[in-house]
Amino acid sequence: MSLNNQLTTASRSIERSLKIGPRQARLESRMLMSSMLDKQISWLIAHPETLLSAAQTASYKKLVERRLAGEPIAYITGKQEFYNIELKISASVLIPRPETEILVETALCRLPEHQPLEILDLGTGSGSIALCLAKLRPNWIITATDLSDEALDVAQKNARRLGLDQVRFIKADWFLGLEKKCFDCILSNPPYIALNDPHLARLNFEPPQALISGEDGLDALRNIIKNAHQHLHSGGLLVCEHGYDQGQACHELFYTSGFTNVMCIKDLAGLDRVTYGKTNPVSNQPAA
């Protein structure tokens, strides 16, 4: 069977089983084929009559079956694009999402470009935030932490592959392990889904420790916002991603923790997604 016929069959199966539109289904069928053949999608489009071997056909069928079972494309192909860089990922890390690019944009827009600032990425996962900032602001000094050894391994491999070895990776449980180190900006996309949130049913392939944060989903955010002052320089910036319905709660947490100029940024769907604020210059020194 030709490459094009294989793609058409797979696309129809994906569309029907996953109940997605034909354009998205066609794209996904091509992404899987691209991964299997190690060819660009543009090559697939230019060579529709290519005949696949029996082994190639069997390999492609297995990839399609994984997708039909609901496994995300990124885990099947082992890669995900984020802010114009390609990241290798595994099932041990959260799949980087477009909403998280708001964190990167917030730092880029609100911090001076040419100063050697010290930046902290808490809960780095695949390293998406830290590595984007390192690529776009090579003069910034970036530290990235995670509690998961598997996640740190993925992030460090991404750093080496992208030639961004200047990022320092540390195993840490949020701020524990950083001692009294201070930064100009702290960014985090922590887990923020409530324990019994029905949305978790659609995220069963992703690591629960990167998704769930207590009964109301705010445990990690409370920890980060409460303790950030001890690790920020005067006027330092804290930027946190959160759930679409957690904007008001995060605003209150920032305010009661002494942050000023607190603002919430909406995502492309018009939903609250990122809250940021600056430290109170009077109370931001590390604890004795």
Side-chain angles (χ1 to χ4, degrees), residues 33-53:
M33 184 67 77
S34 172
S35 176
M36 191 275 293
L37 292 178
D38 194 22
K39 299 284 189 181
Q40 296 293 324
I41 288 179
S42 59
W43 185 92
L44 305 181
I45 296 172
H47 299 82
E49 299 307 316
T50 298
L51 295 179
L52 299 182
S53 69

Side-chain angles (χ1 to χ4, degrees), residues 234-253:
S234 178
L237 185 69
L238 174 65
V239 191
C240 294
E241 181 175 333
H242 50 72
Y244 71 94
D245 57 351
Q246 296 171 332
Q248 184 59 39
C250 284
H251 190 282
E252 292 174 3
L253 287 170

Side-chain angles (χ1 to χ4, degrees), residues 249-264:
C250 284
H251 190 282
E252 292 174 3
L253 287 170
F254 269 73
Y255 180 76
T256 57
S257 295
F259 285 90
T260 61
N261 303 108
V262 179
M263 295 289 292
C264 183

Side-chain angles (χ1 to χ4, degrees), residues 97-237:
R97 288 166 166 79
E99 292 84 359
T100 304
E101 294 183 0
I102 298 172
L103 284 174
V104 176
E105 293 168 355
T106 299
L108 294 175
C109 293
R110 289 166 176 80
L111 295 171
E113 177 178 352
H114 300 294
Q115 293 183 19
L117 303 178
E118 294 191 84
I119 311 295
L120 173 63
D121 173 21
L122 282 175
T124 194
S126 63
S128 56
I129 297 167
L131 296 176
C132 281
L133 293 177
K135 179 182 178 181
L136 296 169
R137 298 289 187 268
N139 57 322
W140 288 1
I141 303 163
I142 300 174
T143 300
T145 73
D146 208 290
L147 188 58
S148 165
D149 290 320
E150 293 81 5
L152 287 172
D153 181 61
V154 171
Q156 289 172 315
K157 286 179 178 177
N158 276 323
R160 289 192 293 270
R161 187 177 59 83
L162 294 167
L164 299 171
D165 294 331
Q166 73 268 34
V167 179
R168 179 192 182 201
F169 294 96
I170 299 176
K171 182 176 182 179
D173 185 0
W174 302 127
F175 294 111
L176 296 178
L178 293 176
E179 300 177 348
K180 296 182 180 181
K181 178 68 176 175
C182 279
F183 301 86
D184 298 293
C185 177
I186 297 172
L187 302 101
S188 185
N189 175 24
Y192 53 72
I193 299 180
L195 182 61
N196 296 313
D197 192 307
H199 294 93
L200 288 170
R202 295 188 288 104
L203 301 169
N204 58 312
F205 285 92
E206 301 191 63
Q209 67 273 17
L211 296 168
I212 302 170
S213 188
E215 293 290 335
D216 62 357
L218 290 168
D219 283 2
L221 285 161
R222 288 191 188 95
N223 186 333
I224 293 167
I225 297 167
K226 177 182 177 182
N227 293 294
H229 270 287
Q230 299 179 33
H231 298 277
L232 281 167
H233 292 304
S234 178
L237 185 69

Side-chain angles (χ1 to χ4, degrees), residues 75-93:
Y75 287 147
I76 301 173
T77 62
K79 60 187 178 181
Q80 176 72 16
E81 185 171 315
F82 180 84
Y83 217 93
N84 296 322
I85 65 172
E86 185 179 276
L87 297 163
K88 299 295 184 180
I89 67 165
S90 74
S92 62
V93 299

